[in-house]
Amino acid sequence: MTGTSPAVVSASKLGLTFQTNDGPVQALSNVDLTIGKGEFVSFIGPSGCGKTTLLRVIADLEKPTSGTISVNGMTPEQAREKRAYGYVFQAAALFPWRTIERNVALPLEIIGLSRAEQAERIKRTMELVNLSGFEKKYPWQLSGGMQQRASIARALAFDADLLLMDEPFGALDEIVRDHLNEQLLELWERTNKTICFVTHSIPEAVYLSTRIVVMSPRPGRVTDIIESTLPKKRPLDIRETPEFLAIAARVRDGLRAGHSYD
Amino acid sequence: MTGTSPAVVSASKLGLTFQTNDGPVQALSNVDLTIGKGEFVSFIGPSGCGKTTLLRVIADLEKPTSGTISVNGMTPEQAREKRAYGYVFQAAALFPWRTIERNVALPLEIIGLSRAEQAERIKRTMELVNLSGFEKKYPWQLSGGMQQRASIARALAFDADLLLMDEPFGALDEIVRDHLNEQLLELWERTNKTICFVTHSIPEAVYLSTRIVVMSPRPGRVTDIIESTLPKKRPLDIRETPEFLAIAARVRDGLRAGHSYD
Amino acid sequence: ADKVTLQLKWVTQAQFAGYYVAKAKGFYEAEGLDVDIKPGGPDIAPEQVIAGGGADVIVDWMGGALAAREKGVPLVNIAQPFKKAGMELVCPKDGPIKTEADFKGHTLGVWFFGNEYPFYAWMNKLGLKTDGGPDGVTVLKQSFDVQPLIQKQADCISVMTYNEYWQLIDAGYKPEQLTVFNYSAMGNDLLEDGLYASEDKLKDPAFEDKMVRFVRASMKGWKYAIDNNDEAAGIVMDNGGQDENHQKRMMSEIAKLIDNADGKLDPATYERTAKALLDQKIITKAPTGAYTTAITDKAIK
Amino acid sequence: MKQSAVPVATILLALVILWYVFAVILNAPFQRDLDRRANETPGTVEFIGKTLSQPKPTLPAPHQVAVNFFENTFLRPITSTRSLVYNAWVTLSSTLLGFAFGTALGIIIAVGIVHVATLDRSLMPWIIASQTIPILAVAPMIIVVLAAIGVTGLIPKAMISTYLSFFPVTVGMVKGLRSPELMHLDLMHTYNASASQTFWKLRVPASVPFLFTSMKVAVAASLVGAIVGELPTGAVAGIGAKLLAGAYYSQSIDIWSALVAGSVVAALLVMVVGIAGRIVDRAMGGRPA
Amino acid sequence: MNWLKPSWQAVLAIVLCVAGLALGAIAAPKVDPLAQPAGTLIYPYAATNWLIFGALLLAALISMARMPSIVEAVVLFIGAHLVAWLLIGGISGFEGLARAPYFLLLTAAWLLGWRCVAVLSGLRPMASWARSALRLIIPAIFGAWILIIWEAVTRGAGIPFILLPPPSAIGARIASSLPVLGADVRQTIFKAVIFGYVVGSSAGFLVAIAADRVPFLRRGLLPIGNMVSALPIIGVAPIMVMWFGFDWPSKAAVVIIMTFFPMLVNTVAGLVASGHMERDLMRTYASGYWPTLLKLRLPAAAPFIFNALKINSTLALIGAIVAEFFGTPVVGMGFRISTEVGRMNIDMVWAEIAVAALAGSVFYGVVALIERAVTFWHPSVRGG
Ligand SMILES: Nc1ncnc2c1ncn2[C@@H]1O[C@H](COP(=O)(O)OP(=O)(O)OP(=O)(O)O)[C@@H](O)[C@H]1O
Ligand SMILES: Nc1ncnc2c1ncn2[C@@H]1O[C@H](COP(=O)(O)OP(=O)(O)OP(=O)(O)O)[C@@H](O)[C@H]1O
Ligand SMILES: Cc1ncc(C[n+]2csc(CCO)c2C)c(N)n1
Ligand SMILES: [Mg+2]
Ligand SMILES: [Mg+2]
C-alpha cells in the first residue's frame, strides 16, 4: 500500500476457523492486508476460498479467531456502530413484507432521514440501477437480477464511506453490468469512497480496481496482490488495451495457481 | 430448427401476464420457439426480460395466459408428471435441514433409487462439481458458489433427458466455470440430452450452445435466434477463433438492441 | 347379589354417612345387595346420570327431581331420609342486616345449580325483587365456600347447617355474632336429600323389591350412623371424606335433619315444596305420581 | 441450564417478596375483623405475624404453602391419596395420554386440511366452533354418557385433555405445513413428487418450529384439561381433586400447594417439550442463532 | 358405460337403502292414545315410506349419470335433504321408536350430502361471486348435516331430553330467549372476554419482548412464564373472585391468565424466525435493538403471533365462561349454563353454547382476516 492515505482496513495475521459438526473448517489463514482511503480493491478467488468470510470479518459479522483487524483505526465493531460501511450481500436479502421502495428506504429509516430526503435518495438510486417503475412491487414479483439491483440500490442509498460489495453484479447481463460498472466507477471517483468488491469476473476486477487481491482456497490465503497501473479515468474500451490485458493475464495466472483443477 | 429431430419443446404465440397489486405485468408475449432433441439452447437477455418465466412455463411451474406449449409432444403438466426434465433454479433452493449429500439425494429418494445407487450417483456428481469433502455439511456452512454447485449436482444426479438450467454458473469464478462448461458439454455430447440454459455471459452462451435465443424485456419477446456454426467438439480455446467472436458479436448486438440503455 | 348403583349429589361427606355406613357395616350385603356408591361434585347432575343409565337410584333435592320429571325423566321419590332442610342464610351481626326488613338494597349470596328455589320462594313471599335494583336485593351466585362473607362481597351468604356454617365458625365468627335465617324454621324449606328412582324401572317388581331392600338397609345405616357419630365420621373418612373433625361435627348436625330415620315422605311438606316450585314456574303443572310411599311402607314395617 | 439458576432464583425471590406483601395486604382486613370481634389490638409486627399465619387465609403466605407442599410431597408415602406426588402422577398420566392423542389428532386434522380442499373448506369453521364450547359445561355430560356405555377411569379425562390440546396443534400445523418456501415447493413439483413425498420431505421439516411451539401450548392445555376432567368424575384423586377438596372447605393453603404442584408439573412438561424441540432442531442441522 | 360415473358414496347409499328395504318398517308403531277402540295401533311413515326410498334411490342413481357437476350437486342436494326432511318429519310422535332402517336411510342420505359437498368442492367457478358463495355454502352444508344427524338420532333413538336435546328444541329456545342471551353476551363477551383477551395477549407479548431484550429475564422469566401456563382455571377462578370481586373483572383476570401463555410461547418462537442474512443486514446498519425488532423481527414473527391470537380467541371464550361457574352476578353465559343445568333446562345450556360457538367463530374469523392482510407475504398466505 502507498502509505500516504490513512488505512481504512488493516488486517494482520488474520485467521478464522469455523467449528462444524464434522470438524473445523479453516476459512481464513494469515491474511495481511491494508486498504487505504479512496482505494477500490477487488477480491477474486475460487469459490469457497473465503472472500465472503473476509468481507464479513471487516463488517464485524464474523469474529476472527486469530490475528487483528482494524477498520478506520477502530475495531470492526466500533466501526459498524459508527455506520462506517454499506454492505451488499451475495444474496439479495430483501424483506418480503416491504415493497422494493420500502426495502431501499430501510437503512434510511434506521438512520432517521426525513421522508423527503428518503424519497429523493430512493428515486436517485432506483434510477441508477434502472428499476424505476418497480417501486411498488414486492420482492417475489421481481426477477433474480432485479432483486440484486434492488439490494445494490439499498446499499447505495445508505451512502457510507466504505462499501463492501459481495458479487453485486453476479446475476446481471453484460450490458447492465457494464452500465453499473461505469456508474460505480463514476460514483467512486466523485465521492472518494473506499470500495471492497468481490467478483468472479477478471475483466470486471481489472476494470474497476486500483488493487486486485487474489485468494486461494482452504485455508483462504492471499496469494497475490496486483496494483493496477490503469489511470483513474477509465472508458469502457480501456478493456481492449494491452495494458489491461496484461493485468488480466496476471490475475488469471494467480487464480489458476491457487486452483485445484488442471 | 432443423426439423429432422422430434421437437422436445414447442411453443407458439406463448404469452404470460402476472396480475400484481399495482396492475398486470406482461412477462412473455408472443414467444414462438421449437427445440429439437439433443439441442443445447441458451437464453440470453437483459435482467427481467422473462427468461426465468419461460423456463418455468416449460417446467409447468407457471401456466401461460395465452398461446400453446408442448413438451415431448405432451402438455408441460404431463411431461412433468413423467419426470421429463431436471431443473436448476436461479437460487440454490437447498433444504436447510439436509446435509449437502442428502440434498443431492432428494430427487433420487423421490424416484425411489436404491441406497447403493444413490450413493454412487451422489459420489459421481459431487466430484463433478468439485464438492467432495463437503458431503456432511449443511447448506449454511457453504459459500454461495458452493451452494450453487450443490444444486447443480442435485439436478445432474436426477439425470433427466431435458435439463432446464437457470443461470447455473452465475456465482462461480472463471476457472470453475470453464471447468463446469467443459464437463457439461461433455455430458451433453455423451448422453444426447436436450439442454435449455439461461446465462448472462455471452461467451458462455456461444461456447455451449447449438442455438442462442436472444430476448428483450417488457414484454419478454424473442428478438433473435442465432444458430451456432461451431462444431460439436469444442476445446476451450475455440473461444479465440474468429468464428466464435463473430457469433459473440452478433449476440451482443442483439442484446444491445433490446436494451433500454445507450 | 343384586347390583345397585347410587349416585350422590355431592362429594363424599357425612351428609351421606348413612349409605357409607350401610355399606361398611354389611347392611346392604345382608339384604343381598352389592351397592356401588358414586360421589358427586359441583357439576354432576344426578338427574342426568340416572337418565343416561349410569345409576339406579340417586340422592337429589326435590326441586331438581321434579324439574327433571317434567323434562321427561320420570323420577319418583321412593324415600325421604332428610325431614328438615339444612340450608340457611347467615349474616354477620356487625353488618347491615338484622331482620328480613333490612334486605332491601343489599347483596345476598345464593347457591344455584338447583339450590336457589327456596331463596327465590322466600323473596317472593317478602315481595322483594331480585334484579339488583334499589327496591330489591342484589343476588350473587355464591361458589362452594364462605369467602364472599369474609371478603365482604356479600352481606349475607347461604350455608348448610352441617357444613359451611362451621367453616364460618372456624374462620373466627362466634355463633352469637351471626344472624341466622333457617329455611326450615321459617317454614320456607323445600325438601332436600331424598332417594329417587325411575318410574319405568319401578314397574318391574324385581326392581321394586331391590329398592325396598336398599331403602331398608340405608335407613338402618342412617340409624347406626346417628347412634355412633364418630364411627360414622370415620367411615366417611375411609371413603374419601376430608377433615375428620369437620365430618364428626357434620354428622351430628345431619342427625338433627334425619329425625326418626324411617325415611318416610311427609305428604304435607311434599305439597308445600311442589306448590313453591309451581309458584316460581320451575315446573309448569302440578306433578302427579312424583312420589310413592309403597317402598318405605314395605321397608319400614 | 446452569446459567439459568441465578436468574430464576432472583426472579423467584422477587416474586416471593411480592407475594408476602400481597399476603399481608389481602389478609389484613379479615384479621382486623377477627381482632375487632375478639377485642384485641395487636402491635404492627404482631399483626403482620398474624396475617401470615391464618389457618384459612385469603392469600396464604409462601412459607405456609411451602410447608404444606413439603409435607404433602416428601413426608407422605407416595402411595397415599394425600401425597402430592401421587395426585400429580394421577393427573400427569391422563395429561400425557390426552396430549399424545391431542397432538396426533391435531396433526391428522392439519394434514387433512392442508391436503384435502373439501376439509379445508368445510371442517375448519366447525373445529373453531367446537373450541368455543365451554368444556366444564359439557365435560359432565361427556363423562355421564361415557360412563353409561361403560367407559370410565383414565379415558374420559384424557378425552377432555385431547379436546383442549388438539386445537393449538391444528392451528400451528396448518400454518407450519403451509410454510415451505415457494421455491422449495416448485422444486418438489419438478420432481413430480407425490403428495406424501412432499409432505414428509418438505412440509414436515419446514413445520417443525411451528410444531414444537404448538406442542408447548398443547401440553399446557392438556394439563388444564386433565385437571378439569377430574372434577366431574367425583374428584377422587389428582391435582384437580385436591383443588376441589381444598375449595369445599376453604382450605386455601391446600389449594395453593396444589396449584404450585400443577405449575411445577406444567413447567416441567413445557421444558421437556422445549428440550425435545431443541434436540430435533440440532438433528436437523439447526444453525445456532 | 361412458354415461355412467359411479361414486362410492352413491353406490353405498343404494346398498344401504336396499338393506333398509329388506329390514322392514322404518319405525315401530304405537298405541293411539285418542283412538276409540282403545289399543288401536298407528303406524309411522304410512304416507311417506315409498317416497323416502324412491327419492333416495333416484337421487343416487341420477347423480351417477354423466352431467355437469353443478346439476349433479343440485340433484344430490335435493335428494339428500328431502329424505332427511321426510325422515325427521315422520318420526315426530314416534320418538324413540326408530328401527334399523331409519338409521340406514339417514346414513344413506348423509352419504349423498357428502357426495354433494365433494362435488361442490371440485367446482372452480370463474366468477368471484360464485367463489365466495361456494366458500359459504360448503361449510354450511357440512354444518347442516351435523345438525340433521343430531336431530334425527336424538329423536329417533329417543335420547332423554336432559341428556341431549335435539337442535330444533335448541333453536326454539334461542328464538324465545333472545333478551336473556343478549344480556349474557354483553356481560361475558363484551366485558370479560374482550378486555381479558387484549390485556392477556399484550402481556404475553410484552413479557416475550422483555425476555428477549434482557437475557437475564429470558433465563429467569421464561421458566416462570411456563408455570403460569398450567394454572388451571378452576384453581385460579376462585382466587380471582376473591381478589377482584364477583363481577366481570375477575373473569377478565382468568382470561388474562389463560391467554398469556400461548402468546408468550409463540412470540418467543417467532422472534427467532427471522433469517440470518436479514439479521446481518440490520447489523451492518448498526440498527439498534428496537428498530431491528420493529422492522425485521416482528414482521418475521407475525405468523407465529397470529397463531397465538387465533388460539387465544377461542381460549378466551372458554376461560370467561368457565370462570363464571364460580362466583358471579346472576347474568353471564357461564352463569346461565351452570344454573340451567341445575334446572334441567338443557336446551338453554345448548342455546348458550351455540351462541358461544357463533361468537367464537366470528372472533376467530376476524383475526384470520387481519392475519391474511398483515402476513400477505408469507408463503402460507401467498399459496403453498
Ligand atoms: N457459517 C459457516 N460455518 C462453517 N463453515 C463456513 C461457514 N461459512 C463459510 N464456511 C466455509 O468457509 C469457507 C469460505 O467460505 P466463503 O463464503 O468465505 O467463500 P467465498 O470465497 O465467498 O466463496 P464464493 O465465491 O463461493 O461465495 C468455505 O469452505 C465454507 O464452507
Ligand atoms: N410472481 C411474479 N409476480 C409478478 N411479476 C413477476 C413474477 N415473477 C416475475 N415477474 C415479472 O416478470 C418479469 C420477468 O421476470 P423473469 O424472472 O422471467 O426475468 P429474468 O429474465 O429471469 O430476469 P433475471 O435475469 O434478472 O433473472 C419481470 O418484470 C418480473 O418483475
Ligand atoms: C355449587 C354448590 N351448590 C350447592 C352447594 C350447597 N351444598 C352444600 S352440601 C350440598 C349437598 C346437598 O345435598 C349442597 C347443595 C354448594 N356448596 N355448592
Ligand atoms: Mg461468497
Ligand atoms: Mg431469472
Side-chain angles (χ1 to χ4, degrees):
Chain A
M1 221 259 100
T2 47
T4 53
S5 53
V8 172
V9 177
S10 134
S12 98
K13 299 215 178 314
L14 201 65
L16 193 152
T17 306
F18 289 106
Q19 300 301 337
T20 73
N21 46 327
D22 64 340
V25 175
Q26 195 168 359
L28 292 177
S29 121
N30 243 326
V31 171
D32 288 304
L33 185 71
T34 315
I35 299 173
K37 172 110 193 80
E39 276 200 87
F40 195 128
V41 179
S42 286
F43 295 84
I44 198 162
S47 165
C49 71
K51 306 180 292 296
T52 300
T53 308
L54 181 54
L55 243 57
R56 287 174 60 84
V57 170
I58 298 174
D60 184 42
L61 298 176
E62 215 79 71
K63 295 262 177 265
T65 47
S66 65
T68 58
I69 178 157
S70 74
V71 178
N72 285 339
M74 301 172 274
T75 65
E77 182 167 3
Q78 289 164 332
R80 179 175 63 75
E81 278 162 6
K82 287 226 159 66
R83 293 176 175 138
Y85 61 83
Y87 198 119
V88 180
F89 287 87
Q90 202 165 353
L94 301 170
F95 291 2
W97 51 85
R98 285 177 170 244
T99 59
I100 297 310
E101 183 178 67
R102 297 322 302 159
N103 263 292
V104 175
L106 175 70
L108 312 181
E109 290 172 10
I110 288 172
I111 57 179
L113 244 48
S114 73
R115 278 267 150 185
E117 202 162 347
Q118 286 186 23
E120 190 272 318
R121 286 210 203 172
I122 293 167
K123 190 163 172 332
R124 182 159 47 80
T125 53
M126 291 286 280
E127 267 167 19
L128 192 76
V129 299
N130 203 25
L131 272 183
S132 311
F134 288 86
E135 290 88 353
K136 300 265 182 271
K137 296 261 183 294
Y138 286 95
W140 71 83
Q141 297 172 326
L142 260 53
S143 78
M146 292 159 99
Q147 293 179 17
Q148 203 172 27
R149 284 182 276 154
S151 101
I152 296 165
R154 183 176 59 187
L156 293 182
F158 188 48
D159 199 24
D161 278 342
L162 172 61
L163 259 177
L164 307 173
M165 307 179 85
D166 196 352
E167 289 186 55
F169 305 146
L172 302 177
D173 62 295
E174 233 167 72
I175 302 193
V176 179
R177 199 161 176 153
D178 284 352
H179 170 77
L180 285 178
N181 277 346
E182 274 186 306
Q183 295 283 333
L184 186 62
L185 264 188
E186 193 267 328
L187 179 93
W188 167 67
E189 238 183 320
R190 183 160 45 79
T191 57
N192 199 29
K193 284 187 198 301
T194 312
I195 299 183
C196 296
F197 190 92
V198 174
T199 179
H200 282 311
S201 159
I202 298 173
E204 187 172 72
V206 177
Y207 175 67
L208 291 172
S209 324
T210 57
R211 270 200 302 164
I212 299 158
V213 177
V214 182
M215 298 179 68
S216 84
R218 267 155 277 152
R221 278 166 295 112
V222 174
T223 50
D224 200 0
I225 299 188
I226 298 157
E227 299 281 337
S228 173
T229 51
L230 297 176
K232 223 177 177 188
K233 270 254 165 294
R234 298 170 185 185
L236 274 173
D237 47 22
I238 203 171
R239 294 181 296 188
E240 265 98 70
T241 63
E243 201 180 351
F244 183 98
L245 294 175
I247 303 175
R250 199 178 143 197
V251 174
R252 187 161 293 120
D253 287 344
L255 203 54
R256 190 154 290 148
H259 236 287
S260 41
Y261 305 118
D262 17 46
Chain B
M1 221 258 99
T2 46
T4 52
S5 55
V8 172
V9 177
S10 133
S12 97
K13 300 216 178 312
L14 201 64
L16 192 153
T17 307
F18 289 107
Q19 301 300 337
T20 75
N21 46 327
D22 65 339
V25 175
Q26 196 167 359
L28 291 176
S29 120
N30 243 325
V31 171
D32 288 303
L33 185 70
T34 315
I35 299 173
K37 173 111 194 79
E39 275 199 87
F40 196 129
V41 179
S42 286
F43 295 83
I44 197 161
S47 164
C49 71
K51 304 181 292 295
T52 299
T53 307
L54 180 54
L55 243 57
R56 287 174 61 84
V57 170
I58 296 174
D60 185 41
L61 298 176
E62 215 80 68
K63 294 260 176 267
T65 47
S66 65
T68 58
I69 177 156
S70 74
V71 177
N72 285 340
M74 301 172 272
T75 65
E77 181 166 4
Q78 290 164 333
R80 179 176 62 74
E81 282 164 3
K82 289 225 157 70
R83 294 176 173 137
Y85 62 83
Y87 198 117
V88 180
F89 288 87
Q90 199 165 357
L94 301 170
F95 288 3
W97 52 84
R98 284 177 172 245
T99 60
I100 298 308
E101 183 178 67
R102 297 322 303 160
N103 263 293
V104 175
L106 175 71
L108 311 181
E109 289 173 12
I110 288 172
I111 57 179
L113 243 47
S114 74
R115 277 268 152 184
E117 201 161 349
Q118 286 185 25
E120 190 272 316
R121 285 210 203 173
I122 292 167
K123 190 163 173 327
R124 181 160 47 79
T125 53
M126 292 285 281
E127 268 166 19
L128 192 75
V129 299
N130 203 26
L131 272 182
S132 311
F134 289 85
E135 289 88 354
K136 301 267 182 266
K137 296 260 183 295
Y138 286 97
W140 53 269
Q141 297 173 325
L142 261 54
S143 77
M146 292 159 97
Q147 292 178 17
Q148 205 173 25
R149 282 183 277 153
S151 102
I152 296 166
R154 181 176 60 188
L156 294 182
F158 188 49
D159 198 24
D161 278 340
L162 172 62
L163 260 177
L164 306 173
M165 308 179 85
D166 197 351
E167 290 186 54
F169 304 146
L172 303 177
D173 64 295
E174 236 169 68
I175 302 193
V176 180
R177 201 163 175 149
D178 283 354
H179 170 76
L180 285 178
N181 276 346
E182 273 185 306
Q183 295 284 336
L184 188 61
L185 263 189
E186 194 267 327
L187 180 92
W188 167 68
E189 238 183 319
R190 181 161 46 78
T191 57
N192 199 28
K193 285 186 197 301
T194 311
I195 300 182
C196 296
F197 190 92
V198 173
T199 180
H200 282 311
S201 159
I202 298 173
E204 186 172 75
V206 178
Y207 175 67
L208 291 171
S209 324
T210 57
R211 271 199 302 164
I212 300 158
V213 176
V214 183
M215 297 179 68
S216 84
R218 264 155 278 150
R221 278 166 293 112
V222 173
T223 49
D224 200 359
I225 300 187
I226 298 158
E227 301 280 338
S228 173
T229 51
L230 298 176
K232 225 178 175 187
K233 270 256 167 292
R234 298 170 186 185
L236 273 173
D237 48 22
I238 203 173
R239 294 182 296 189
E240 265 99 70
T241 63
E243 201 180 352
F244 184 98
L245 294 174
I247 301 176
R250 199 178 143 198
V251 174
R252 187 162 293 119
D253 288 344
L255 203 53
R256 190 154 289 147
H259 238 287
S260 40
Y261 306 118
D262 16 47
Chain C
D2 295 322
K3 287 195 79 74
V4 174
T5 307
L6 168 67
Q7 173 68 56
L8 305 180
K9 188 178 166 50
W10 201 247
V11 296
T12 302
Q13 55 181 357
Q15 181 189 1
F16 310 107
Y19 312 108
Y20 284 110
V21 167
K23 186 171 162 93
K25 286 280 148 195
F27 300 161
Y28 288 135
E29 210 178 335
E31 294 282 357
L33 295 175
D34 173 13
V35 179
D36 180 14
I37 303 176
K38 289 183 169 176
D43 37 26
I44 290 221
E47 303 90 336
Q48 283 186 337
V49 177
I50 198 170
D56 299 307
V57 54
I58 61 174
V59 175
D60 200 0
W61 289 16
M62 183 156 279
L66 292 187
R69 186 177 171 83
E70 231 186 46
K71 300 277 188 290
V73 183
L75 293 179
V76 176
N77 181 304
I78 57 170
Q80 184 62 41
F82 281 34
K83 297 294 161 53
K84 280 191 258 168
M87 200 154 68
E88 51 193 20
L89 197 72
V90 296
C91 323
K93 285 238 169 81
D94 55 7
I97 294 172
K98 315 279 188 294
T99 69
E100 288 179 344
D102 302 327
F103 283 141
K104 192 175 288 182
H106 290 289
T107 303
L108 309 178
V110 177
W111 284 322
F112 280 78
F113 207 71
N115 302 323
E116 69 274 32
Y117 310 139
F119 172 79
Y120 280 105
W122 182 26
M123 290 298 126
N124 209 5
K125 219 160 141 189
L126 294 180
L128 284 172
K129 284 204 185 142
T130 51
D131 55 4
D135 292 339
V137 295
T138 302
V139 175
L140 152 65
K141 182 195 156 193
Q142 190 184 325
S143 53
F144 34 67
D145 54 31
V146 295
Q147 286 298 329
L149 201 70
I150 292 174
Q151 298 298 319
K152 303 213 182 314
Q153 289 169 348
D155 299 305
C156 305
I157 59 167
S158 299
V159 296
M160 304 303 290
T161 54
Y162 49 82
N163 191 356
E164 289 81 2
Y165 178 80
W166 296 101
Q167 293 185 28
L168 280 177
I169 300 299
D170 286 347
Y173 283 96
K174 304 220 166 55
E176 60 273 18
Q177 289 168 338
L178 295 169
T179 310
V180 173
F181 299 94
N182 184 291
Y183 287 95
S184 280
M186 296 185 297
N188 289 330
D189 59 325
L190 303 185
L191 282 168
E192 293 181 359
D193 300 23
L195 291 171
Y196 295 81
S198 157
E199 187 171 348
D200 296 338
K201 275 187 164 181
L202 282 171
K203 285 180 190 146
D204 173 9
F207 183 79
E208 191 187 4
D209 176 56
K210 214 157 72 171
M211 286 300 108
V212 169
R213 284 180 281 145
F214 172 75
V215 169
R216 190 185 300 133
S218 299
M219 294 324 294
K220 199 168 160 201
W222 274 120
K223 195 164 274 150
Y224 187 91
I226 291 166
D227 296 340
N228 303 277
N229 194 82
D230 290 3
E231 188 187 348
I235 291 172
V236 170
M237 286 304 290
D238 294 342
N239 284 280
Q242 302 273 329
D243 191 346
E244 182 143 19
N245 275 328
H246 188 71
Q247 298 300 341
K248 285 182 184 162
R249 225 163 34 188
M250 186 185 296
M251 188 60 238
S252 50
E253 288 298 328
I254 294 285
K256 297 178 193 161
L257 307 180
I258 297 281
D259 200 18
N260 60 351
D262 63 359
K264 288 199 168 149
L265 177 69
D266 171 23
T269 327
Y270 165 80
E271 293 302 341
R272 184 154 48 83
T273 302
K275 183 171 178 306
L277 294 173
L278 209 52
D279 287 348
Q280 284 180 69
K281 306 192 176 60
I282 304 300
I283 53 178
T284 52
K285 44 187 189 296
T288 50
Y291 71 96
T292 170
T293 52
I295 308 278
T296 41
D297 288 346
K298 283 182 200 159
I300 291 77
K301 301 256 171 51
Chain D
M1 256 326 37
K2 278 226 182 63
Q3 307 124 293
S4 358
V6 174
V8 172
T10 316
I11 293 190
L12 272 182
L13 189 71
L15 281 183
V16 166
I17 291 171
L18 210 64
W19 185 348
Y20 268 112
V21 172
F22 271 96
V24 173
I25 296 174
L26 285 166
N27 295 335
F30 180 63
Q31 190 61 43
R32 240 174 263 130
D33 266 9
L34 276 184
D35 292 342
R36 187 167 41 76
R37 281 198 294 268
N39 282 323
E40 285 172 27
T41 44
T44 316
V45 176
E46 190 191 345
F47 180 77
I48 289 179
K50 280 170 127 179
T51 57
L52 297 180
S53 55
Q54 294 173 1
K56 291 182 176 179
T58 305
L59 173 58
H63 67 267
Q64 292 177 298
V65 177
V67 167
N68 182 297
F69 185 84
F70 182 81
E71 279 175 359
N72 288 324
T73 307
F74 299 107
L75 300 188
R76 298 190 197 288
I78 55 166
T79 48
S80 147
T81 52
R82 302 182 63 183
S83 161
L84 270 178
V85 179
Y86 169 79
N87 285 295
W89 168 248
V90 169
T91 304
L92 188 65
S93 53
S94 59
T95 302
L96 292 179
L97 192 64
F99 173 61
F101 282 146
T103 306
L105 183 67
I107 292 175
I108 290 170
I109 293 176
V111 172
I113 286 175
V114 170
H115 285 100
V116 186
T118 317
L119 291 184
D120 185 19
R121 303 274 191 87
S122 55
L123 198 56
M124 201 55 188
W126 294 96
I127 289 180
I128 298 158
S130 82
Q131 284 298 304
T132 56
I133 296 177
I135 13 134
L136 213 54
V138 278
M141 300 188 215
I142 294 175
I143 281 165
V144 163
V145 170
L146 286 179
I149 59 171
V151 181
T152 52
L154 203 58
I155 305 287
K157 288 193 279 176
M159 278 180 60
I160 292 168
S161 289
T162 304
Y163 167 83
L164 272 185
S165 60
F166 88 90
F167 185 65
V169 176
T170 299
V171 171
M173 283 303 277
V174 166
K175 181 110 270 182
L177 292 174
R178 284 181 174 157
S179 71
E181 297 287 336
L182 294 183
M183 206 194 308
H184 288 159
L185 282 168
D186 281 346
L187 182 73
M188 296 305 272
H189 214 55
T190 68
Y191 300 141
N192 190 33
S194 67
S196 83
Q197 286 171 326
T198 306
F199 177 76
W200 286 112
K201 294 181 195 297
L202 176 57
R203 292 190 187 275
V204 167
S207 70
V208 163
F210 287 88
L211 174 65
F212 280 96
T213 309
S214 304
M215 274 168 59
K216 280 190 197 173
V217 175
V219 79
S222 188
L223 181 60
V224 173
I227 291 176
V228 169
E230 280 162 7
L231 305 186
T233 50
V236 192
I239 291 175
K242 290 291 281 185
L243 282 173
L244 200 58
Y248 295 143
Y249 306 107
S250 302
Q251 284 163 334
S252 43
I253 303 177
D254 276 355
I255 298 182
W256 279 81
S257 83
L259 277 181
V260 169
S263 299
V264 169
V265 172
L268 288 177
L269 286 175
V270 173
M271 226 163 69
V272 167
V273 175
I275 290 171
R278 234 167 300 148
I279 291 172
V280 170
D281 184 58
R282 200 71 49 80
M284 286 175 38
R287 181 175 183 177
Chain E
M1 288 303 272
N2 202 21
W3 48 270
L4 195 68
K5 192 181 47 162
S7 70
W8 67 268
Q9 289 102 334
V11 171
L12 191 56
I14 293 172
V15 171
L16 291 175
C17 192
V18 172
L21 266 176
L23 285 171
I26 298 178
K30 69 166 185 186
V31 179
D32 189 340
L34 303 174
Q36 250 340 306
T40 318
L41 291 179
I42 48 173
Y43 291 88
Y45 298 106
T48 55
N49 199 351
W50 295 109
L51 184 55
I52 292 176
F53 282 106
L56 207 117
L57 285 173
L58 211 61
L61 288 172
I62 293 178
S63 80
M64 285 194 286
R66 195 163 286 282
M67 59 179 143
S69 293
I70 182 74
V71 180
E72 184 184 350
V74 170
V75 167
L76 287 164
F77 183 86
I78 295 175
H81 292 86
L82 178 67
V83 171
W85 171 261
L86 291 173
L87 271 178
I88 290 174
I91 201 72
S92 75
F94 297 88
E95 274 88 356
L97 297 176
R99 289 191 178 154
Y102 177 86
F103 297 101
L104 291 178
L105 285 169
L106 182 67
T107 314
W110 169 62
L111 284 168
L112 295 189
W114 179 345
R115 175 78 193 142
C116 174
V117 170
V119 170
L120 285 176
S121 305
L123 289 181
R124 292 280 173 277
M126 289 309 276
S128 72
W129 66 264
R131 270 199 302 274
S132 17
L134 267 185
R135 208 184 289 283
L136 290 178
I137 289 173
I138 292 171
I141 297 181
F142 185 89
W145 273 95
I146 294 181
L147 298 182
I148 289 171
I149 291 176
W150 179 350
E151 177 88 24
V153 170
T154 47
R155 291 179 50 185
I159 292 179
F161 186 89
I162 66 163
L163 274 187
L164 189 63
S168 54
I170 298 168
R173 191 55 183 234
I174 292 178
S176 65
S177 319
L178 285 178
V180 176
L181 290 169
D184 291 346
V185 165
R186 203 171 318 122
Q187 168 80 10
T188 304
I189 296 184
F190 290 127
K191 291 180 182 164
V193 170
I194 293 188
F195 180 86
Y197 178 82
V198 170
V199 175
S201 299
S202 315
F205 180 78
L206 292 177
V207 169
I209 301 279
D212 183 71
R213 179 79 187 96
V214 188
F216 184 80
L217 290 183
R218 169 161 56 245
R219 295 202 208 93
L221 217 50
L222 287 188
I224 291 164
N226 293 348
M227 298 179 82
V228 176
S229 69
L231 290 182
I233 335 174
I234 23 154
V236 175
I239 296 170
M240 293 301 130
V241 172
M242 212 185 274
W243 290 2
F244 298 104
F246 59 87
D247 210 345
W248 68 268
S250 57
K251 315 305 171 284
V254 172
V255 175
I256 289 172
I257 292 174
M258 288 198 70
T259 52
F260 171 81
F261 181 71
M263 182 55 100
L264 174 73
V265 168
N266 274 283
T267 308
V268 167
L271 285 177
V272 298
S274 55
H276 279 265
M277 203 187 302
E278 285 76 8
R279 263 180 277 168
D280 283 346
L281 180 73
M282 297 306 276
R283 268 167 68 86
T284 70
Y285 300 142
S287 164
Y289 177 83
W290 297 109
T292 307
L293 186 72
L294 276 176
K295 293 180 196 298
L296 170 62
R297 301 176 66 213
L298 283 184
F304 283 86
I305 293 174
F306 275 100
N307 268 358
L309 287 176
K310 282 174 171 173
I311 293 168
N312 280 350
S313 66
T314 61
L315 267 189
L317 211 62
I318 302 187
I321 291 176
V322 171
E324 283 181 351
F325 282 30
F326 293 87
T328 60
V330 287
V331 60
M333 303 174 79
F335 164 80
R336 198 74 57 203
I337 288 174
S338 63
T339 14
E340 299 295 343
V341 169
R343 292 181 182 174
M344 295 296 117
N345 289 327
I346 309 298
D347 51 347
M348 187 64 185
V349 173
W350 283 98
E352 291 281 356
I353 291 176
V355 171
L358 183 70
S361 305
V362 169
F363 199 169
Y364 185 99
V366 169
V367 175
L369 280 181
I370 298 175
E371 176 188 32
R372 287 189 80 79
V374 173
T375 64
F376 62 92
W377 50 270
H378 193 259
S380 67
V381 180
R382 270 195 284 148

